[in-house]
């Protein structure tokens, strides 16, 4: 797959400043990608707060439509591929020699083709005074979004 650049991501994020654009894309994604929507709505994510669930939906929408804009065609995201990617990513996460979250993330960035998408996810889950993402939530959101990126990247 072609690399999705920061410019493409930023253009989409700018368009989502108008919430109508975001909600329109969210509806479109629900119709075009039922497996992807089911993946982010699955019971495994009951540990997420409502705000974290909304963030994961938002990030998924950005990932999907950024990829779709680069490819110029519909992607077919299959549930089995998402699950396989998620299992592989949790294995990497859990087998890391360190428990430092930032150092674990460094492992995922090594030689990763879709670095800009992954960086957007990482930036979105950083803890600061205004960020509502819990320690558990950031791990779940990162692994889920990394799995989505992997699957979307593997569609071509």
């Amino acid at each position: 797959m072609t690399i999705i650049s920061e410019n493409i991501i930023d253009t989409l994020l700018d368009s989502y400043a108008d919430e109508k654009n975001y909600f329109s894309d969210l509806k479109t994604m629900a119709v075009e990608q039922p497996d992807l929507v089911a993946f982010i709505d699955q019971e495994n994510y009951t540990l997420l707060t409502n705000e974290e669930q909304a963030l994961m939906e938002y990030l998924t929408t950005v990932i999907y439509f950024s990829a779709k804009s680069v490819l110029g065609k519909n992607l077919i995201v299959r549930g089995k591929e998402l699950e396989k990617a998620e299992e592989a990513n949790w294995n990497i996460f859990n087998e890391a020699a360190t428990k430092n979250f930032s150092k674990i993330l460094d492992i995922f960035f090594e030689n990763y083709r879709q670095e800009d998408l992954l960086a957007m996810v990482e930036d979105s889950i950083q803890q600061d005074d205004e960020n509502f993402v819990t320690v558990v939530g950031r791990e779940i959101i990162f692994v889920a979004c990394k799995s989505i990126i992997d699957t979307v990247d593997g569609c071509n």
Side-chain angles (χ1 to χ4, degrees), residues 14 72 85 142 146-147:
D14 289 345
F142 182 82
K146 167 72 168 55
S147 302

PDB file of all heavy atoms in Angstrom, residues 14 72 85 142 146-147:
ATOM      1  N   ASP A  14      -8.697  18.226   9.316  1.00  0.00           N
ATOM      2  CA  ASP A  14      -9.223  19.584   9.118  1.00  0.00           C
ATOM      3  C   ASP A  14     -10.682  19.536   8.661  1.00  0.00           C
ATOM      4  O   ASP A  14     -11.500  20.332   9.102  1.00  0.00           O
ATOM      5  CB  ASP A  14      -8.390  20.367   8.100  1.00  0.00           C
ATOM      6  CG  ASP A  14      -7.021  20.752   8.639  1.00  0.00           C
ATOM      7  OD1 ASP A  14      -6.801  20.672   9.870  1.00  0.00           O
ATOM      8  OD2 ASP A  14      -6.147  21.121   7.819  1.00  0.00           O
ATOM      9  N   GLY A  72      -8.054   5.468  -3.598  1.00  0.00           N
ATOM     10  CA  GLY A  72      -9.059   5.828  -4.575  1.00  0.00           C
ATOM     11  C   GLY A  72     -10.050   4.711  -4.871  1.00  0.00           C
ATOM     12  O   GLY A  72     -10.686   4.681  -5.901  1.00  0.00           O
ATOM     13  N   ALA A  85      -4.357  -9.704  13.211  1.00  0.00           N
ATOM     14  CA  ALA A  85      -3.440  -8.588  13.455  1.00  0.00           C
ATOM     15  C   ALA A  85      -3.456  -8.190  14.926  1.00  0.00           C
ATOM     16  O   ALA A  85      -2.406  -7.931  15.524  1.00  0.00           O
ATOM     17  CB  ALA A  85      -3.809  -7.396  12.574  1.00  0.00           C
ATOM     18  N   PHE A 142      -4.354   1.818  21.360  1.00  0.00           N
ATOM     19  CA  PHE A 142      -3.168   1.723  20.509  1.00  0.00           C
ATOM     20  C   PHE A 142      -3.132   0.388  19.770  1.00  0.00           C
ATOM     21  O   PHE A 142      -2.937   0.355  18.552  1.00  0.00           O
ATOM     22  CB  PHE A 142      -1.873   1.916  21.305  1.00  0.00           C
ATOM     23  CG  PHE A 142      -0.663   1.874  20.432  1.00  0.00           C
ATOM     24  CD1 PHE A 142      -0.260   2.996  19.735  1.00  0.00           C
ATOM     25  CD2 PHE A 142       0.058   0.697  20.255  1.00  0.00           C
ATOM     26  CE1 PHE A 142       0.843   2.962  18.883  1.00  0.00           C
ATOM     27  CE2 PHE A 142       1.147   0.643  19.418  1.00  0.00           C
ATOM     28  CZ  PHE A 142       1.546   1.775  18.728  1.00  0.00           C
ATOM     29  N   LYS A 146      -3.507   0.037  15.808  1.00  0.00           N
ATOM     30  CA  LYS A 146      -2.362  -0.541  15.090  1.00  0.00           C
ATOM     31  C   LYS A 146      -2.838  -1.736  14.273  1.00  0.00           C
ATOM     32  O   LYS A 146      -2.423  -1.928  13.122  1.00  0.00           O
ATOM     33  CB  LYS A 146      -1.280  -0.949  16.084  1.00  0.00           C
ATOM     34  CG  LYS A 146      -0.157  -1.839  15.555  1.00  0.00           C
ATOM     35  CD  LYS A 146       0.799  -1.134  14.647  1.00  0.00           C
ATOM     36  CE  LYS A 146       2.074  -1.899  14.342  1.00  0.00           C
ATOM     37  NZ  LYS A 146       1.962  -3.223  13.794  1.00  0.00           N
ATOM     38  N   SER A 147      -3.726  -2.521  14.832  1.00  0.00           N
ATOM     39  CA  SER A 147      -4.271  -3.688  14.128  1.00  0.00           C
ATOM     40  C   SER A 147      -5.092  -3.266  12.919  1.00  0.00           C
ATOM     41  O   SER A 147      -5.030  -3.899  11.863  1.00  0.00           O
ATOM     42  CB  SER A 147      -5.116  -4.533  15.088  1.00  0.00           C
ATOM     43  OG  SER A 147      -4.336  -4.940  16.196  1.00  0.00           O
TER      44      SER A 147
END
